[in-house]
Amino acid sequence: MIRPALAILATVSALALVGAQAALAHDHGGRNQGRGGVVFVQTNEPSGNKIDVFDRGGDGRPSLAGTYPTGGLGGVAAPGTESDHLASQGSLALTADGRTLIAVNAGSDTVTSFRVHGDRLQLRSIVSSGGQFPASVAVNDRLVYVLNSGGTGIVQGFWIRGSRLVPIAGSARSLGLANGDPPNFLTAPGQVGFTPDRHQLLVTTKASTSSIDVFQVGHDGRLSATPVVNPSATPVPFAFTFGSGRLVDGEAGTSSVTTYIVGSGGTLSDPLSASDGQAALCWILRIGNVYYVSNTGSNNLSSFTVDSSGQPTLLQAVAATTNPGPIDLATSGGYLYAETGTNGTVDEFAVNSDGTLTPIGTVTGLPPGLEGIAAS
């Protein structure tokens, strides 16, 4: 249920005070004192969503610097037993300038924005997500789109103004799906994201239609009335990134990575695929020229390269083993961090020059069902 405007305003005021007090409490020694990196983890707790902030040490190991409530509730996709409670990639997003952090509150249909001050957060806004079960965020400079994965699937646009989210009137677009609220984790759309040239917005629909929908982005921030609907090359397109001038998509049905050319009109072409032979490849992260994927059904990570033609090649079927249920990935300073939703951990790896991974530790004590990670 969407909160009334006055209730949201009251929550923002109260939590801004909490954030200010937390900042003061950590100011004496919790600041990221020149170590160059911060890792943000979204707890996604149904009783109250929070962001845990970690300083990245010189050895890559995170240390807790503070915890900040989002003012909303975490969510659990149906049936509720899967490792990925939001069933998405990009539920926590950091702007390119590192100044604004955006979190989804799937259980209360709201989105929260924070101003980032090193390893401290200042709550700036809590707004309606414009739909049901917000699960993924796309950021393009000052333009933001939120994917609501419940119901028909709604993408809603916002401007960032001083780290506050301001809804764009008339920007909501439906994907025409038929999910519940909460949605089933298999059929909920997986990710929303902009193309590198910022002219198009993509949404993966997972098992709902096994398609990749492409909207055009106007100068006013609004999208084309309808998307171009492209069937994926292999079933269940989930999470994506870009590289070598192509879309690089993780497709869970056959645990494959597929690359596509994205045409100016929104049509995808020249699909090239490779499987890692594991179970449920869903999340994907590019570090340099290597693409790392989480196989949540196999409890491991795999790695791929993509050549100049766009052909993906499996580098390591098992680049690393993880705690049960690996989901979202993030990178900071030559290290890779993998959330595991079953136990509630963040597994830590050093990324070597040849693309191999070396385990360096695990953050424990986080809640099972956590989802959403970002890093600077």
Side-chain angles (χ1 to χ4, degrees):
M1 180 179 295
I2 296 174
R3 297 184 176 190
L6 288 178
I8 291 177
L9 179 60
T11 303
V12 172
S13 299
L15 287 171
L17 177 59
V18 171
Q21 291 170 338
L24 288 173
H26 293 288
D27 191 56
H28 66 280
R31 256 183 219 190
N32 181 33
Q33 298 172 345
R35 290 183 291 181
V38 180
V39 180
F40 306 93
V41 175
Q42 180 169 251
T43 66
N44 187 45
E45 295 164 274
S47 59
N49 191 17
K50 304 180 186 71
I51 307 299
D52 284 347
V53 182
F54 296 86
D55 288 327
R56 173 177 56 78
D59 60 359
R61 295 178 180 177
S63 59
L64 184 64
T67 297
Y68 300 82
T70 66
L73 307 178
V76 182
T81 56
E82 62 283 354
S83 61
D84 53 317
H85 282 187
L86 295 179
S88 65
Q89 177 164 288
S91 58
L92 186 66
L94 184 66
T95 56
D97 62 11
R99 295 178 180 177
T100 303
L101 185 72
I102 303 169
V104 301
N105 304 305
S108 50
D109 297 341
T110 58
V111 185
T112 299
S113 66
F114 295 92
R115 184 71 167 182
V116 179
H117 303 278
D119 63 2
R120 298 171 297 141
L121 299 180
Q122 178 188 12
L123 192 144
R124 297 292 289 163
S125 64
I126 305 171
V127 297
S128 166
S129 66
Q132 300 171 329
F133 206 87
S136 181
V137 179
V139 181
N140 168 5
D141 193 19
R142 299 293 94 188
L143 179 62
V144 171
Y145 265 87
V146 172
L147 170 62
N148 294 277
S149 60
T152 64
I154 300 289
V155 289
Q156 168 69 48
F158 301 86
W159 292 115
I160 299 176
R161 307 292 189 203
S163 292
R164 297 180 186 272
L165 294 176
V166 179
I168 300 172
S171 64
R173 299 289 185 270
S174 173
L175 303 176
L177 305 179
N179 286 306
D181 182 23
N184 184 279
F185 82 108
L186 287 173
T187 58
Q191 184 182 353
V192 61
F194 290 97
T195 53
D197 66 8
R198 306 178 178 183
H199 294 161
Q200 293 161 309
L201 184 81
L202 280 63
V203 181
T204 54
T205 67
K206 299 218 305 276
S208 275
T209 62
S210 276
S211 67
I212 302 168
D213 295 357
V214 183
F215 291 91
Q216 301 297 317
V217 181
H219 295 296
D220 61 358
R222 296 179 178 87
L223 306 178
S224 52
T226 58
V228 175
V229 178
N230 299 275
S232 59
T234 68
V236 196
F238 192 125
F240 58 87
T241 185
F242 293 89
S244 303
R246 297 169 70 98
L247 170 67
V248 184
D249 189 47
E251 298 175 348
T254 59
S255 277
S256 295
V257 167
T258 301
T259 77
Y260 304 84
I261 294 172
V262 184
S264 59
T267 299
L268 304 185
S269 62
D270 191 31
L272 300 170
S273 300
S275 174
D276 64 6
Q278 305 299 303
L281 182 163
C282 295
W283 293 264
I284 186 166
L285 173 72
R286 179 185 177 189
I287 304 177
N289 294 320
V290 179
Y291 299 82
Y292 298 93
V293 299
S294 295
N295 304 300
T296 193
S298 301
N299 301 326
N300 58 31
L301 309 181
S302 301
S303 57
F304 290 82
T305 58
V306 177
D307 68 19
S308 59
S309 72
Q311 177 62 55
T313 299
L314 183 63
L315 183 62
Q316 286 187 292
V318 181
T321 58
T322 67
N323 277 286
I327 49 172
D328 281 333
L329 305 170
T331 184
S332 175
Y335 299 94
L336 184 151
Y337 302 95
E339 287 183 325
T340 65
T342 303
N343 286 359
T345 68
V346 176
D347 291 347
E348 311 152 17
F349 303 91
V351 181
N352 303 312
S353 59
D354 61 356
T356 59
L357 300 175
T358 300
I360 58 173
T362 297
V363 177
T364 60
L366 298 165
L370 86 172
E371 189 154 2
I373 187 168
S376 62

